[in-house]
Amino acid sequence: MTAHALTVDSATAPDATAAPAVSVQGVSQVFTRGGPPVLQGVDLTVAPGEFVCLLGASGCGKSTLLNLIAGLVSPTAGRIEVSVERPALMFQEPALLPWLTASGNVELALRARGVARAARKAEAERLLEVVNLAGQGGKRVHELSGGMRQRVALARALAQDSSVLLMDEPFAALDAITRDVLHQELTRVWAEQKLSVVFVTHNVREAARLGQRVVLMGSRPGRIVREWRVDIPQPRTIEAPDVSALAGRITRELHKEISRHGH
Amino acid sequence: MAIDLPRSRRGSREGATDGRAGEDRSVVAGLDALDEAPLLPPRSGPVRVFVGSVLPPLIFLALLVGVWQLAYVARIKPPYALPGPSQVAQTFWETVQDGRAFDAIWTSLSRGAFGFVLSLAVGTLLGLAMWASRWLRAAVGPIVSGLQSLPSVAWVPAAIIWFQLSNAAIYTVVLLGAVPSIANGLLSGMKQVPPLFDRVGRVLGLSTLGRIRYVLLPAALPGYLGGLRQGWAFAWRSLMAAELITYSPKLGLGLGQLLNIGRELSQMSLVITSIVLILLVGIAIELLVFAPLERSVLNRRGLTATR
Ligand SMILES: Nc1ncnc2c1ncn2[C@@H]1O[C@H](COP(=O)(O)OP(=O)(O)OP(=O)(O)O)[C@@H](O)[C@H]1O
Ligand SMILES: [Mg+2]
């Protein structure tokens, strides 16, 4: 697919005046009664069309926050508003249904959306093509490698055709080359369909490569400690010097945040 | 070449992502090709299958018959109590030839099938209801589990008192034997569905009914099949017990009744013949229906270990 020379950051800079795509206000989450809060006082606003990367140490509550935004769990305290009825969510695990084929998994999302039976097959094939799995739709889940499964999961999330896309470490299991290609595809789809994306990752470079904004979460309790606006225009590459420089700055901050827990 | 170089360089800079995207895509295709499952070992040929899974039981059977023949020759029991293999084989052949074997198999099997389908409907509804209602599960669950371990032959006297010597009495016993297994199999299958699958259904926006239909039930299928298999085994056993006890000319000749005739005539070779017939039907149903069904369901999900 052609990747247009996007000047995304100036042209489609997030519109602060429009109603936000995702608005998280003062959200706290406690799982066990009387236990420590997993999230405390989290505020996060995602403007329509904005690409936000969420960084944080393992166990700081990133998945929990995403599940809250997706409406799978209701928060112990605080408010969450999402501009669409149903945000698309890509789980940390591929979460494919093993009795269906790759295409069947994508088609289930289309069916849930009410796409007519006749159109589903072709649409699923198109989406699998987007994630570089053309012609692989007939495979059973267990016949796919981990990376291929994750890509089917991406195709399924895209099949939900929601303008809000939540992604939980979607590319963590992929090799660098496949990940580069999917980064390109994702930024392309994001720009074309004006998606609002919340992208959770452990990988600082990936965050710097993709996000218009990088949000750093602290641990115990999970909260937002810092954020960076990224003004490097898309298309970026993960090796670009300015992306690397930003990643370096974020990494130092992340280390500071983590070592705070060392004593 | 020398002239081309600067231009292509400039070109590659402008279309950096374009060129790379195409290139990377083919690299990804290459990576995926490497990812392909290694060629599976060739499917075992007929000779292998024969040596691996047909021959061993045949050898064991031959050994068994040999020991039997020895016991017969040694007169451990008088011949009317322990006839030799050849006498039994003769009776078996006679029963096949005069049509009694097929009559009995047909009568019992059609009864068993009807009783099983009935149990399937009742057991499935009961399982679903128990899954849907926490209260019902608490109230009925222990009794259903208890019934699973109660030999359903214990119901025969009650069934005869309620329904006399009729098919209704037989089906009552079969139902009481099979329904608990089927209901429990479905219930435990549904309880074991990973919560992640349900969350997938919710994220995709399926309605409650849609989640049951497209996520929960397919996910519970392996457990349900296990329940069906056990349900059939219990139905078949209960049927034999019921047929053996509710012996009456107007009920027709089933395998259980054939067994009973052997007992009344003190004809041991007919008794053994009937037992062998009952066993053969059980093995045939297992090999022709349940084993392939289970294998195909598990294969499709990649749940079968390739040894
Ligand atoms: N359902 C739950 N019940 C109890 N505790 C939970 C539950 N879900 C998450 N937690 C706890 O909340 C904390 C945050 O978990 P979460 O999965 O959100 O972390 P994460 O930031 O996504 O980590 P990772 O990067 O490893 O995926 C963990 O300590 C976890 O044990
Ligand atoms: Mg997580």
Side-chain angles (χ1 to χ4, degrees), chain A residues 77-136:
Chain A
R79 279 162 60 85
I80 294 177
E81 277 160 35
V82 184
S83 63
V84 290
E85 191 192 350
R86 196 162 299 287
L89 170 64
M90 223 183 129
F91 292 90
Q92 195 165 351
E93 310 84 12
L96 299 177
L97 305 180
W99 55 90
L100 298 174
T101 58
S103 172
N105 271 282
V106 179
E107 284 170 48
L108 185 61
L110 298 171
R111 178 201 289 273
R113 223 180 75 203
V115 175
R117 174 189 289 274
R120 278 182 221 146
K121 198 115 215 116
E123 176 66 1
E125 183 56 35
R126 188 188 69 76
L127 288 162
L128 287 172
E129 220 176 287
V130 169
V131 296
N132 268 318
L133 284 175
Q136 311 266 25

Side-chain angles (χ1 to χ4, degrees), chain A residues 31 38 57-64 92 169 202:
Chain A
F31 281 113
V38 170
S58 197
C60 72
K62 304 182 296 293
S63 298
T64 304
Q92 195 165 351
E169 301 186 32
H202 274 293

Side-chain angles (χ1 to χ4, degrees), chain A residues 2-3 67 72 86 95 98-99 111-112 129-130 132 139-140 142 145 151 156 160 175 177-178 181 184-185, chain B residues 18 21 24-25 27-28 31-32 35-36 197 199-200 202-206 214-215 218-219 299-302:
Chain A
T2 48
N67 285 343
L72 290 174
R86 196 162 299 287
W99 55 90
R111 178 201 289 273
E129 220 176 287
V130 169
N132 268 318
K139 288 208 167 141
R140 300 266 162 206
H142 67 96
S145 73
R151 283 185 270 156
R156 184 174 66 184
Q160 287 189 252
D175 62 89
I177 294 172
T178 310
V181 173
Q184 290 170 25
E185 290 303 336
Chain B
D18 259 350
D24 281 354
R25 271 185 167 253
V27 174
V28 168
L31 284 172
D32 284 347
D35 254 343
E36 295 279 307
F197 288 171
R199 293 201 285 153
V200 169
R202 281 164 58 198
V203 162
L204 295 187
L206 289 168
Y214 296 112
V215 179
N299 269 345
R300 199 178 312 168
R301 297 167 195 226

Side-chain angles (χ1 to χ4, degrees), chain B residues 126-301:
Chain B
L126 181 62
L128 283 176
M130 280 166 71
W131 174 77
S133 155
R134 189 183 288 270
W135 184 86
L136 192 71
R137 202 184 317 165
V140 182
I143 300 174
V144 171
S145 297
L147 278 180
Q148 236 180 323
S149 55
L150 176 77
S152 57
V153 65
W155 292 104
V156 172
I160 292 177
I161 292 172
W162 291 331
F163 301 109
Q164 287 76 46
L165 291 178
S166 65
N167 274 324
I170 293 182
Y171 289 130
T172 306
V173 176
V174 170
L175 241 73
L176 284 163
V179 165
S181 297
I182 296 175
N184 257 348
L186 179 56
L187 184 62
S188 69
M190 290 174 85
K191 277 197 208 155
Q192 281 167 17
V193 174
L196 181 63
F197 288 171
D198 190 58
R199 293 201 285 153
V200 169
R202 281 164 58 198
V203 162
L204 295 187
L206 289 168
S207 62
T208 309
L209 228 57
R211 292 209 302 279
I212 293 177
R213 163 79 180 75
Y214 296 112
V215 179
L216 193 64
L217 287 182
L221 191 60
Y224 183 48
L225 269 187
L228 291 191
R229 188 181 212 168
Q230 197 188 32
W232 165 258
F234 281 16
W236 185 242
R237 283 185 217 177
S238 317
L239 179 66
M240 289 305 109
E243 283 187 352
L244 191 56
I245 297 176
T246 60
Y247 175 67
S248 146
K250 68 175 190 292
L251 279 182
L253 182 81
L255 286 168
Q257 280 106 358
L258 193 65
L259 191 56
N260 203 31
I261 293 174
R263 184 183 68 107
E264 293 197 333
L265 298 178
S266 285
Q267 192 188 348
M268 190 59 187
S269 55
L270 184 59
V271 169
I272 297 179
T273 295
S274 311
I275 293 176
V276 170
L277 286 174
I278 295 172
L279 199 64
L280 284 180
V281 172
I283 293 174
I285 296 290
E286 169 66 26
L287 285 186
L288 299 179
V289 180
F290 289 104
L293 209 60
E294 189 162 62
R295 200 173 331 120
S296 89
V297 166
L298 294 185
N299 269 345
R300 199 178 312 168
R301 297 167 195 226

